[in-house]
């Protein structure tokens, strides 16, 4: 049963990474790094949640895998690019 869940975590990580790479291609680095990060983050989150919740709550484990993959991919994202002559201002007193 755990092998099926591990495979599901990896597939979920690939899907999240693929969606992120398609939706934000200019804000993310190389697609290989994005796919790798998505899979590793989903596996990590899913297995940690499996350890905490046990085998009786697969929905919680998959939710944790999704959240961890999204958080891991957000670390790779760079800020949105502005125009060539965009002026950056700081609002500090």
């Amino acid at each position: 049963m755990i092998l099926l869940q591990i495979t599901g975590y990896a597939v979920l990580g690939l899907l999240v990474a693929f969606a992120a790479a398609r939706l934000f291609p200019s804000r993310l680095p190389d697609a290989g790094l994005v796919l790798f990060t998505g899979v590793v983050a989903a596996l990590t989150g899913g297995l940690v949640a499996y350890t905490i919740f046990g085998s009786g709550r697969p929905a919680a484990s998959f939710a944790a895998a999704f959240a961890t993959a999204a958080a891991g991919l957000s670390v790779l994202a760079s800020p949105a690019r502005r125009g060539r002559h965009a002026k950056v201002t700081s609002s500090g007193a």
Side-chain angles (χ1 to χ4, degrees):
M1 186 65 167
I2 185 67
L3 291 178
L4 186 60
Q5 284 186 335
I6 289 173
T7 304
Y9 301 148
V11 170
L12 180 65
L14 274 174
L15 290 174
V16 170
F18 182 75
R22 296 284 289 174
L23 290 172
F24 307 108
S26 63
R27 296 184 68 185
L28 291 170
D30 183 45
L33 178 63
V34 171
L35 293 175
F36 178 76
T37 302
V39 171
V40 170
L43 284 171
T44 303
L47 291 174
V48 168
Y50 181 85
T51 302
I52 293 170
F53 298 126
S55 62
R57 296 186 165 204
S61 295
F62 278 97
F66 177 81
T68 309
L73 291 172
S74 72
V75 172
L76 295 178
S78 62
R81 292 190 170 94
R82 298 178 184 221
R84 202 170 117 180
H85 298 289
K87 195 175 210 181
V88 177
T89 61
S90 62
S91 59

